[in-house]
Amino acid sequence: MKINYLIQLFLLSAIYLCFIIPLSNQLLNHCNDYQKKVNDQVEILDVESRLISGKEWAYALSNEQNNETIDFAMKTIKEARISYNKAIRTAYNILWASLLFVLLIIVLNYNGINLFKALIGCTAVIGLIALYVGVYAPILEIHAYSRNLEIPLVLKLKDILTLADLSLEDLSNWINNDFNNNIQSYLNDFSLFGLKIPDLNLDLNFNLASYFEEKDYSIDITAKFYGDIYYYYQSKSAMSLIGSLFNQNNYVVGIALLTFSVIIPIIKMLMTVLITFFKSFSNKIGLITIINFIGKWSMADVFVAACFLSFLSFNNMSNQIETESQTLIGLYFFLSYVVISLVASTLMNIQLKKIN
């Protein structure tokens, strides 16, 4: 008994979703754990913690590495990479399951007249899953940092005394008061060899403070901070970016991004399914015109292109600070949705031509 293609599609879609939805949530959990670990590492190594707080200046001035801080940061980033690798493995599982879903649809309907319809339904289900992961998983992360930062310092004598809560007059008095005693102590040591040295009372009390003021003595040193110092880090998903825009009361941009990059793609995919499977919808030329029209206003592909441009431009910034950007797994799922959406639209147009 030959099973109707709609029943086949429904059953396979149900099995696919029962397997894929938990996998998708698992992938998002791994991504969230990755972002948390990276943020923890950045907080350990950010410029405020390492430079502004002053906690590591003793290590920097003595040319030593703060092993406790560096080791803890390296441990944190290692854990972050483990979480991201788990997310990648989960993504591959989603990919193989999706390919198997498509392959089963093709095999079961290969010689049937409803192959294109079944494929449209199949791609619609896979496309919505790709869009779901694509908007909630992180899409791009940006770093700005220095590695083994060296800061040349010129410490003037007055500044050193100020740090010690002293003045040039204090230094002058200390030298004048102790100089005679020290000289006499050294000369008295010669008495051990049978020499008798008379007491000396040298008048060396001249204005050392003005002398130091005139010479303006200074010390040149270099403070070296081993490891990385982060000045900027950002990693967001499409939905977290939209949420940030709303939290900042930037409603116009937030609503535009939500509408054109999320809502319209979903509507477009659902209308593609309705036109394909329901004759009453496929006969309405207006709906086909609408779906082709809103497809032009969908910013999903523009959003992907903007992310890639941001990635390339930030990586090629030339300044004294090292910059690094990395595309993350969410962008590739978003890109997959764009491709799948184009495939679904093409299959729909082929199916409509066959009918007409």
Side-chain angles (χ1 to χ4, degrees):
M1 178 181 177
K2 189 174 181 179
I3 303 177
N4 184 279
Y5 82 98
L6 283 175
I7 298 176
Q8 290 177 354
L9 178 62
F10 178 80
L11 291 175
L12 288 175
S13 298
I15 295 171
Y16 172 78
L17 291 174
C18 288
F19 180 73
I20 289 298
I21 290 176
L23 274 183
S24 300
N25 291 330
Q26 185 180 359
L27 184 148
L28 294 176
N29 289 334
H30 290 319
C31 289
N32 291 335
D33 190 53
Y34 167 77
Q35 286 184 294
K36 181 180 181 302
K37 293 295 183 183
V38 174
N39 280 315
D40 289 343
Q41 182 222 11
V42 172
E43 287 180 6
I44 296 169
L45 299 177
D46 71 352
V47 64
E48 183 174 352
S49 299
R50 302 203 67 189
L51 265 71
I52 298 176
S53 68
K55 295 178 181 178
E56 293 201 26
W57 278 94
Y59 292 98
L61 293 172
S62 60
N63 200 26
E64 294 181 4
Q65 177 174 294
N66 187 349
N67 292 322
E68 183 179 357
T69 298
I70 301 300
D71 291 345
F72 187 50
M74 293 302 296
K75 179 184 176 183
T76 305
I77 197 61
K78 183 178 179 180
E79 293 174 351
R81 291 195 184 102
I82 291 173
S83 295
Y84 192 70
N85 288 334
K86 289 180 179 177
I88 292 176
R89 287 196 295 270
T90 306
Y92 275 114
N93 291 334
I94 293 174
L95 173 62
W96 302 132
S98 300
L99 291 176
L100 178 61
F101 183 26
V102 174
L103 183 60
L104 286 174
I105 290 295
I106 293 174
V107 170
L108 293 174
N109 298 276
Y110 183 71
N111 292 320
I113 60 173
N114 296 309
L115 175 61
F116 285 105
K117 286 186 177 181
L119 282 175
I120 291 170
C122 171
T123 53
V125 173
I126 296 174
L128 291 175
I129 290 294
L131 182 63
Y132 166 66
V133 177
V135 298
Y136 282 102
I139 54 178
L140 183 70
E141 66 178 359
I142 298 173
H143 306 258
Y145 62 95
S146 292
R147 179 161 293 166
N148 295 331
L149 176 66
E150 294 185 359
I151 303 178
L153 300 172
V154 178
L155 297 180
K156 295 186 177 181
L157 180 60
K158 290 188 295 183
D159 298 330
I160 297 173
L161 293 173
T162 300
L163 292 173
D165 199 20
L166 296 172
S167 64
L168 288 174
E169 286 76 11
D170 295 328
L171 178 63
S172 177
N173 293 334
W174 178 81
I175 293 175
N176 284 327
N177 292 336
D178 290 353
F179 190 79
N180 280 327
N181 294 333
N182 291 333
I183 289 293
Q184 191 65 52
S185 175
Y186 295 139
L187 293 176
N188 287 340
D189 290 340
F190 285 100
S191 63
L192 297 174
F193 303 98
L195 298 174
K196 298 296 183 181
I197 306 297
D199 290 341
L200 299 176
N201 187 14
L202 303 176
D203 186 12
L204 299 176
N205 292 319
F206 59 94
N207 194 352
L208 288 173
S210 61
Y211 176 77
F212 289 133
E213 182 80 32
E214 180 182 348
K215 292 295 183 181
D216 195 22
Y217 284 107
S218 62
I219 301 173
D220 294 339
I221 61 174
T222 299
K224 185 171 183 178
F225 294 84
Y226 287 93
D228 296 338
I229 296 177
Y230 281 89
Y231 306 105
Y232 178 82
Y233 172 76
Q234 192 68 264
S235 174
K236 288 186 180 297
S237 65
M239 290 305 296
S240 62
L241 176 61
I242 292 169
S244 296
L245 291 171
F246 279 109
N247 290 334
Q248 296 168 8
N249 297 325
N250 199 341
Y251 297 112
V252 175
V253 180
I255 292 173
L257 189 60
L258 177 64
T259 301
F260 295 116
S261 296
V262 181
I263 296 176
I264 287 181
I266 292 175
I267 293 175
K268 178 185 175 183
M269 191 66 77
L270 293 177
M271 289 184 67
T272 300
V273 173
L274 290 175
I275 292 172
T276 301
F277 290 97
F278 297 95
K279 193 172 181 179
S280 57
F281 287 96
S282 63
N283 290 333
K284 295 180 180 179
I285 305 300
L287 286 179
I288 301 174
T289 304
I290 290 173
I291 194 172
N292 290 326
F293 177 77
I294 66 173
K296 298 176 182 179
W297 285 92
S298 173
M299 287 178 59
D301 49 352
V302 178
F303 187 78
V304 172
C307 289
F308 275 120
L309 287 173
S310 300
F311 163 73
L312 294 172
S313 62
F314 198 82
N315 264 349
N316 286 288
M317 289 176 66
S318 56
N319 50 35
Q320 299 300 317
I321 299 175
E322 294 188 50
T323 57
E324 182 180 302
S325 61
Q326 180 179 352
T327 54
L328 297 178
I329 199 167
L331 182 61
Y332 297 100
F333 272 91
F334 212 100
L335 177 62
S336 299
Y337 162 76
V338 173
V339 174
I340 292 169
S341 176
L342 292 173
V343 171
S345 297
T346 303
L347 292 174
M348 181 196 72
N349 290 327
I350 293 173
Q351 178 64 24
L352 289 176
K353 288 179 181 179
K354 288 176 61 178
I355 295 173
N356 297 330

